[in-house]
Amino acid sequence: MDTLISADRLLTGPAGQQLTDAAVLVRGDRIVAVGGRDELRQQARAGSDEQHHSDATLLPGLINTHLHLVADASRDPFGAFRTSTPEAVFEAMADRALQALDAGVTTIRDLGDGHGLAFALRNEIASGTRPGPRILAAGTPLTPPDGHCWFLGGVVEGPDAIRARIRELADAGADVIKVMAGGGQTTPGGASPWESQFTLDELRLIVAEAGAVGLPVAAHAHGTQTITDCVAAGVRTIEHCGWRGGSGKPDRRDDVARRMAAAGIYAGDTTPPNWPAFAARIPFPPGHRLGDQLPWMDSLGVPIIIGTDSGMPGAVFNDFVSALEMYTELGFPNDRILQFATANAADALGLSAVTGCLAAGLAADLLVVDGDPLTDLQTLRRPRLVMARGRIHHSSAQQSEEETTADV
Ligand SMILES: [Zn+2]
């Protein structure tokens, strides 16, 4: 059956593209036309469903490019993963994916789990067995012995092990290869966040082996040297991308950022919904604050995408908008913030022909929100309608104060 959805305003994307008093015609899981309401009414098949939303905006579904469904956002985020049955962990993951969808996120990229659970959930949702957002999944991240997140099971040492692991992940259905190129915060005893865990030659091998099976590479990197190596190796996205020097202090290199921009390598920012509390725990040198590498990268042409690292302590799954608010604080206009979270993200994930804009032929991934998100991002908090691949979900809109400030 056809569904004609219209609103006062359509943000078709990318930034700056919009229509007034227009509609989207949905057939099955796809958008078949976008344009004037009366014109589309004539294209709709007999018996079509029609809904008009006044004082509202229709826009593409949001894309969260970095989260971990297997983690539960508690102080010991992988604790339940280690101690529960895979069945219980799987059900909890399905619930977290639904929380993201209720908040208007129609595509998520899972950048690290264990036991192939995110692949299984992705497949169930894609087949229509379960409701949920589209999932792209990396499976188990590559890391050296005792390296960042070794406990997820992705330890590799030497070229043969790297090759074997990438083949194994590709066979299991990985959409992207995740490499812990540098250290992180959640692994006691491992490398510090600004230290590298793989050599440039190893990163080049990972990119080449992933490329041979048609997969992009997402690299976890906080440190400037690690970022520099990831740019040289030609990864697709650099996650976190915090530009820290050996001491952990900000260390930005214009030449490297320019090469990153020229190569079209995305900065995969990770701003948790509870970023004000997160920022308060980080000792910034005078003149620096959380996220201030983003306007700098943007000024040099580095493309930006937004993830929340949901699953990490305090980073809940049902609140993407709070993460977007940091971009407002940093001075980005709303149309660009929305572009980072839709069209840019789709491009970075290789989904430009699938989602990220409202256009004929793309998946029917869309939101209707009250008012105008170009003037107020808060309008995104309670979508009137969330549609994922043509399937309608209503927002739960029941997010409590308690949940949004959990564990900060
Ligand atoms: Zn992460």
Side-chain angles (χ1 to χ4, degrees), residues 66-68 78 111-112 148-149 178 180 220 239-240 270 308-310 312:
H66 185 138
L67 50 66
H68 303 274
F78 296 102
L111 284 182
H148 184 45
C149 291
K178 170 84 180 288
M180 299 301 196
H220 161 112
E239 303 303 310
H240 311 298
T270 47
T308 53
D309 225 351
S310 292
M312 295 302 100

Side-chain angles (χ1 to χ4, degrees), residues 151-387:
F151 47 82
L152 291 175
V155 172
V156 288
E157 190 170 24
D160 290 343
I162 287 172
R163 287 190 191 96
R165 179 55 53 83
I166 291 173
R167 297 284 157 158
E168 198 179 292
L169 285 163
D171 289 347
D175 298 298
V176 54
I177 297 297
K178 170 84 180 288
V179 55
M180 299 301 196
Q185 274 127 359
T186 52
T187 309
S192 76
W194 45 87
E195 284 174 334
S196 290
Q197 297 200 130
F198 288 98
T199 65
L200 175 56
D201 282 346
E202 287 171 325
L203 292 172
R204 284 189 164 130
L205 175 68
I206 290 166
V207 170
E209 289 295 314
V213 288
L215 298 179
V217 172
H220 161 112
H222 292 280
T224 299
Q225 188 54 50
T226 316
I227 292 167
T228 304
D229 289 347
C230 287
V231 171
V235 303
R236 180 71 175 148
T237 65
I238 299 179
E239 303 303 310
H240 311 298
C241 206
W243 300 90
R244 298 300 194 97
S247 56
K249 291 207 171 71
D251 175 22
R252 294 173 190 162
R253 288 185 46 185
D254 284 18
D255 57 333
V256 179
R258 286 203 177 90
R259 286 202 296 276
M260 187 172 170
I265 297 170
Y266 279 84
D269 177 49
T270 47
T271 296
N274 60 330
W275 60 270
F278 180 78
R281 289 200 298 265
I282 301 173
F284 286 100
H288 283 284
R289 61 174 174 161
L290 185 72
D292 59 7
Q293 76 281 8
L294 292 159
W296 167 73
M297 283 193 282
D298 185 53
S299 73
L300 294 173
V302 175
I304 293 167
I305 54 176
I306 307 174
T308 53
D309 225 351
S310 292
M312 295 302 100
V316 294
F317 289 82
N318 60 357
D319 182 12
F320 195 36
V321 180
S322 292
L324 302 184
E325 285 173 355
M326 188 188 76
Y327 286 76
T328 304
E329 289 279 315
L330 293 167
F332 287 102
N334 290 1
D335 63 339
R336 297 209 57 221
I337 298 170
L338 287 172
Q339 174 167 336
F340 296 158
T342 55
N344 272 24
D347 183 51
L349 272 49
L351 295 174
S352 290
V354 176
T355 192
C357 290
L358 299 180
L362 299 193
D365 294 338
L366 49 92
L367 310 181
V368 175
V369 300
D370 287 328
D372 184 0
L374 293 183
T375 54
D376 183 5
L377 285 180
Q378 300 306 315
T379 59
L380 299 170
R381 286 201 181 274
R382 280 171 290 278
R384 276 192 208 177
L385 172 75
V386 179
M387 177 179 272

Side-chain angles (χ1 to χ4, degrees), residues 132-154:
R134 173 183 299 98
I135 297 177
L136 266 62
T140 310
L142 274 59
T143 198
D146 301 319
H148 184 45
C149 291
W150 60 268
F151 47 82
L152 291 175

